[in-house]
Amino acid sequence: MTTQSTQSGRRPARPARPASSARALLPARPTLSRRALLAGTAAGAVGLGLAACGRSGKTDSKTVTVVTHDSFHVSDDLIKAFTSETGYTLKVATSGDAGALVNKLVLTKDAPLGDAVFGIDNTYASRALDQGVIDTSATVTLPQSAEGYVVADTPALAPIDVGDVCLNIDTGYFTGKGLTPPATFEDLTKPEYKGLLVAINPTNSSPGMAWLLATIGHFGAGSFADYWKQLAANDARIAEDWTSAYETDFSAGGKGTYPVVVSYASSPSFTVSDDGASSSTSALLDTAFRQVEYAGVLKGAANPEGGKAFVEWMLSKAVQEDIPGQMYMYPVLPDATLPEALTKFGPLSIAPVSVEPEEITAHREEWLNTWTEAVGK
């Protein structure tokens, strides 16, 4: 497979690059991929020449400190353009996965770690708003296509990009076995698919949490536990993070024996053949839950104007078109151009499963406890 640099989402318009294969349509990345970072894998650096920092040092009106999850990536030339156009120097403080990011923001809300945040997702957005970490007065103009993703009628938490977490399958495995691939949630409980699925622990991983929510949205809060009991009885494996699931256990991603894995709808665009004509994997879009990533100005920021400039910049066409190749997510800007391999092999679901952010905030711990009991973790 083509390496999906190790690793919250997640896709569109820069001019197509000359390429001998579909793989070259997406820029090369560091060793880790977005998915592993969102799954909780530690990252040593942002990799953009941005200075990772907290609020331990003195800041000034010419510096914008952005607190993000570990998989924040934007091209170097755009970072330079941001400084040139706004006069602000961008500094980045990485804070783990989306859940760890929000927890840290809540704990430090009386002495915020930065001026803006990027990477809060829809599984934690309501908590961030309820805890008052976002400056709700610092609104920016949103593209109309992003308005449907606004949480609690608070556009100050601006939708930036989206991505679908769903089941992926190793198509070659099923062809070789003469076995019809699964297509639905329910299929994975059938005897013919016994021992073929590797899912991800939702207590440790954003993709794992997203797919747990997919099962809750599909089966209902009162019935999803029964589904997970059936999966466990059918010998589903529960990996601790995306890296273990995809790069170790998945038969098409590593050297594992599991031909069905929880990953992203975009993943098949990174397993294309050299001629760009086919992919060795495919996504089951009917099992998808949509992740949305947000940016906003932090309440009590030392440089709120700079924070707002950062949020506006993330919605600019140049950055929106950079997102697919850097963070493997789809931008919210509708006229952003998508890489060909992504549109051909990694499209979004037309009808993802959904759970209201307020419901997630109200029941997250309850649902995680129910899941733990169901699978015997």
Side-chain angles (χ1 to χ4, degrees), residues 170 195-200 237-261:
D170 177 354
L196 301 188
L197 168 67
V198 54
I200 306 173
R237 171 171 168 72
I238 309 296
E240 289 305 303
D241 53 40
W242 180 89
T243 302
S244 298
Y246 197 97
E247 297 186 346
T248 300
D249 297 324
F250 185 38
S251 57
K255 297 182 180 179
T257 59
Y258 296 85
V260 185
V261 66

Side-chain angles (χ1 to χ4, degrees), residues 167 180-194 219 227 231 234 284:
L167 294 175
T180 301
T184 67
F185 289 99
E186 292 80 2
D187 282 348
L188 271 299
T189 65
K190 296 177 179 179
E192 56 265 40
Y193 304 114
K194 185 179 180 69
F219 292 100
Y227 176 66
L231 291 180
N234 214 30
L284 305 185

Side-chain angles (χ1 to χ4, degrees), residues 225 228-229 232 366-377:
W228 280 95
K229 289 177 183 177
E366 171 194 341
W367 288 341
L368 286 172
N369 290 335
T370 299
W371 176 87
T372 299
E373 292 176 4
V375 301
K377 293 295 274 186

Side-chain angles (χ1 to χ4, degrees), residues 1-6 31-33 35 242 246-247 267 270:
M1 101 176 234
T2 305
T3 301
Q4 295 185 56
S5 336
T6 309
T31 305
L32 295 182
S33 91
R35 290 132 184 100
W242 180 89
Y246 197 97
E247 297 186 346
S267 296
F270 296 91

Side-chain angles (χ1 to χ4, degrees), residues 46-342:
V46 177
L48 293 175
L50 302 181
C53 70
R55 261 308 152 91
S56 56
K58 188 175 180 180
T59 61
D60 56 52
S61 60
K62 295 300 182 182
T63 298
V64 180
T65 301
V66 179
V67 188
T68 78
H69 56 49
D70 287 341
S71 60
F72 176 71
H73 289 270
V74 180
S75 294
D76 289 329
D77 59 337
L78 294 180
I79 299 293
K80 293 175 183 177
F82 173 79
T83 299
S84 175
E85 293 166 8
T86 67
Y88 296 118
T89 298
L90 201 59
K91 293 188 177 181
V92 172
T94 56
S95 298
D97 144 330
L101 168 63
V102 173
N103 290 337
K104 186 174 289 187
L105 293 177
V106 170
L107 290 172
T108 60
K109 64 181 179 181
D110 293 331
L113 298 174
D115 304 303
V117 59
F118 169 76
I120 296 173
D121 74 5
N122 49 322
T123 70
Y124 284 94
S126 290
R127 181 166 188 251
L129 291 172
D130 290 346
Q131 291 293 321
V133 302
I134 301 299
D135 181 351
T136 56
S137 69
T139 58
V140 300
T141 301
L142 298 177
Q144 187 174 359
S145 56
E147 292 175 357
Y149 297 121
V150 170
V151 175
D153 296 322
T154 308
L157 192 59
I160 301 297
D161 58 44
V162 302
D164 288 343
V165 174
C166 62
L167 294 175
N168 277 221
I169 63 170
D170 177 354
T171 54
Y173 173 93
F174 290 98
T175 300
K177 297 287 186 180
L179 181 63
T180 301
T184 67
F185 289 99
E186 292 80 2
D187 282 348
L188 271 299
T189 65
K190 296 177 179 179
E192 56 265 40
Y193 304 114
K194 185 179 180 69
L196 301 188
L197 168 67
V198 54
I200 306 173
N201 190 332
T203 65
N204 297 337
S205 158
S206 292
M209 184 65 191
W211 203 68
L212 171 61
L213 291 170
T215 66
I216 292 169
H218 181 75
F219 292 100
S223 300
F224 81 93
D226 289 336
Y227 176 66
W228 280 95
K229 289 177 183 177
Q230 293 176 60
L231 291 180
N234 214 30
D235 290 346
R237 171 171 168 72
I238 309 296
E240 289 305 303
D241 53 40
W242 180 89
T243 302
S244 298
Y246 197 97
E247 297 186 346
T248 300
D249 297 324
F250 185 38
S251 57
K255 297 182 180 179
T257 59
Y258 296 85
V260 185
V261 66
V262 171
S263 192
Y264 283 74
S266 61
S267 296
S269 67
F270 296 91
T271 57
V272 295
S273 59
D274 287 335
D275 63 4
S278 64
S279 176
S280 62
T281 64
S282 62
L284 305 185
L285 298 181
D286 288 342
T287 68
F289 177 85
R290 181 150 301 164
Q291 283 188 318
V292 183
E293 292 187 319
Y294 299 86
V297 178
L298 291 173
K299 190 173 182 179
N303 185 3
E305 289 302 317
K308 184 174 179 180
F310 169 79
V311 178
E312 292 173 334
W313 178 68
M314 289 297 291
L315 286 167
S316 68
K317 189 172 183 181
V319 174
Q320 288 280 292
E321 292 184 341
D322 194 52
I323 285 172
Q326 294 295 331
M327 294 190 282
Y328 306 128
M329 299 286 274
Y330 277 85
V332 295
L333 196 66
D335 61 347
T337 305
L338 293 168
E340 181 183 345
L342 187 60

